[in-house]
Amino acid sequence: MAIASSPQSRQSRASLLDGLDPEQRAAAAAPRGPVCVLAGAGTGKTRTITHRIAHLVQSGHVAAGQVLAVTFTTRAAGEMRTRLRGLGVDAAQALTFHAAARRQLRYFWPRVVGDRPWDLIDNKFRLVAQAAQRVRLSTETEVLRDLASEIEWSKASLVSPDDYPSVAARMQRDTPAPVAQVAEVYRWYEELKTNAQVLDFDDLLLQTTAVLERHEAVATEFRDRYRCFVVDEYQDVTPLQQRLLDAWLGGRDDLTVVGDANQTIYSFGGASPKSLLEFTRRFPEATVVRLERDYRSTPQVVALANRVIGAARGRPAGSRLKLIGQRPEGPEPRFAEYEDEAAEASAVARRVRELLDADVPASEIAVLFRVNAQSEAYEQALTEAGIPYLVRGGERFFQRTEVRQAMAALRTASMEPTSLELVTAVRSVLARVGLTEQPPSGGAAKERWDALLALVELAEELAAAVEDADLPRFVAELEQRAAAQHPPTVEGVTLASLHAAKGLEWDAVFLVGLSEGTMPILHADGDDAAIEEERRLFYVGVTRAREHLSLSWSLSRGQGRGRNRRRSRFLYGLIPEDHPAARIARSQQSAKPGSNVARCRLCGGPLVQTMEVKLGRCGKCPSTVDEDLLEKLKTWRGERSRELKVPAFVVFTDATLMAIAEQRPTDDGALVSISGIGATKLERFGAEVLDVVRSSMRS
């Protein structure tokens, strides 16, 4: 029941809501009970929910100490606490999910367990390594990293070791080992952890949930203590976090959630917008407010962001926010196409220098990329331009473990005579530390592979620039680069992956490397849900910019390597028709057959989308698929996947099988010409696939 308020307190509440726009005010002043705030990028969600908390407190609906607000990063929680203090609500709790659970578990542990609290481990690698050894799996760093990630996903998704094989197969998880072995590692990891009486970060949530669900007295005490709950970034909750939230609520409905399904980019870790999108189904009486006024970005940036997300497929109603720019007019976003990555990085460095000369602070400039291995070119270009930089959410290129190991191997090899030319020698050395002919499909192994490939590309650059360059010369070049790229930590331009940039903003943002295979990432191709998450990641990148936004891509990795890349599919429809980059695209599309532009095998038109290239035909031309052959290929794939104990898509994706069934190759040359079938797949499965094709043609 609300406490009666005086005219003075009513005036105070009114002044508290001053300065909020109509939608923010509606959310802040909504009556106690379930409230869902659908908040687009830059629409003032933190301001809105902190004012809501303050309004509820000042209205007498809840005491400040009875409020628990949770979010996903310590930075966001700290910002919320600062704003609440500024509104006179010091006693409200604003924490991450894990910090809140740790505090509660520490308090209730003696009562429910009865001995000293178990220690919390900061790094699970040692126990994962012990578990992997028992299953006779590799304990290389990237394998352990992927196994640890898979365990984290399982616990966040409430998947037990016993259930893991069936769930992983159903969800087509890209596993670091056969699912049965991953499940065994998971099982041993949990047993080793229990025997050592330690907890990992996921256990904080699991154990706190279990305590509240199983101990009524504890649950009653907690629920008497906390009456009002607020969840920020609700689109990112995992099933485990939702279950903990349900345990906190205990059937009550005094809950405010805020989120944006358009910014769901962590599904690989178990996050899902399902709870946000189904909030009104669970609470039919909930107040729903849509925040669409964007106070962060110029109308030009906002318009581009709307076009990016407007092209998304299958958008549920709760995600159809359309931002409305509130800032003064600004410059139009820039688009640029370059011959290779080095040219792109150099151009970005030049533009950064122009912005610095125009008094844009270095700390207000960011270069954002899809994968961490892309940072090296920009580290080098900024270093050569004398521009300080900081790498956020990762290590500088030459500090990475795999790069240090590779340089040590190259240094040793350089002391021995060799008749191999430079690039061949480098590839030979790096093969010993993990560089394979074909890239891994994803995860830490793919990041390691990308970093090693970047070293090969540096060798190619040196070989092209310096006649008779050898391995000792290359090692010296790498050591010079490494030394130059370790400046003292100072304010500088931010280099970050798109994932690491979530929740941040800058005056000027460069989105780089926007080519197919990188944005969207290669292993997302053929999976509609994965492609749409890549689109949302691109949208997050665009919405980080306040005023200056530059988007660029290159046509090849290095000089003289041929234009074997295409701009990202997400850029089509964004580039103005009169832009030089658009003219380049049109001239490429009108190129004659025989050029390096992929062409439809039916009508001869240019192929733009990755799926078109894979199938060898454009979307306008009818499918020539042999349905009987396609079924036989799927049957064969199912048998092979069971024999190998891997998900079916690891053998061949549906898109690759479709391409085979359409093109019906009868020899190795025709088979390997299909996108997605390289030397490794040909050697492993080629003869079998051709047998299936030939037998189908005879029948």
Side-chain angles (χ1 to χ4, degrees), residues 494-533:
T494 299
L495 300 181
S497 71
L498 287 164
H499 281 102
K502 178 72 167 64
L504 304 175
E505 58 189 74
W506 295 269
D507 285 346
V509 168
F510 294 83
L511 298 181
V512 300
L514 301 177
S515 59
E516 285 289 307
T518 303
M519 172 53 68
I521 200 73
L522 181 63
H523 57 75
D525 199 27
D527 183 335
D528 290 344
I531 290 295
E532 290 309 314
E533 178 140 340

Side-chain angles (χ1 to χ4, degrees), residues 98-99 101-103 105-106 109 116-124 126-127 155 189 193 196-205 207:
H98 289 85
R102 185 177 189 180
R103 183 174 297 187
L105 195 60
R106 187 186 300 122
W109 187 279
R116 68 170 183 82
W118 290 8
D119 292 331
L120 181 67
I121 56 174
D122 292 326
N123 190 322
K124 56 172 64 74
R126 182 178 60 83
L127 290 176
K155 297 175 80 167
Y189 168 77
K193 187 159 50 67
Q197 295 191 334
V198 294
L199 303 174
D200 63 23
F201 278 97
D202 299 307
D203 291 329
L204 296 176
L205 307 187
Q207 295 294 339

Side-chain angles (χ1 to χ4, degrees), residues 450-467:
D450 285 335
L452 296 177
L453 185 64
L455 292 174
V456 174
E457 290 161 1
L458 291 176
E460 291 172 342
E461 288 181 17
L462 181 64
V466 178
E467 188 176 356

Side-chain angles (χ1 to χ4, degrees), residues 651-671:
V651 179
F652 281 125
T653 65
D654 286 346
T656 300
L657 291 189
M658 176 70 79
I660 295 170
E662 285 201 4
Q663 299 180 40
R664 298 183 284 281
T666 57
D667 56 40
D668 287 355
L671 185 61

Side-chain angles (χ1 to χ4, degrees), residues 327 360-361 364-365 505-509 544-548:
R327 289 190 55 183
V360 178
E364 287 294 346
I365 302 173
E505 58 189 74
W506 295 269
D507 285 346
V509 168
R544 299 310 93 195
R546 297 193 191 102
E547 183 174 358
H548 304 280

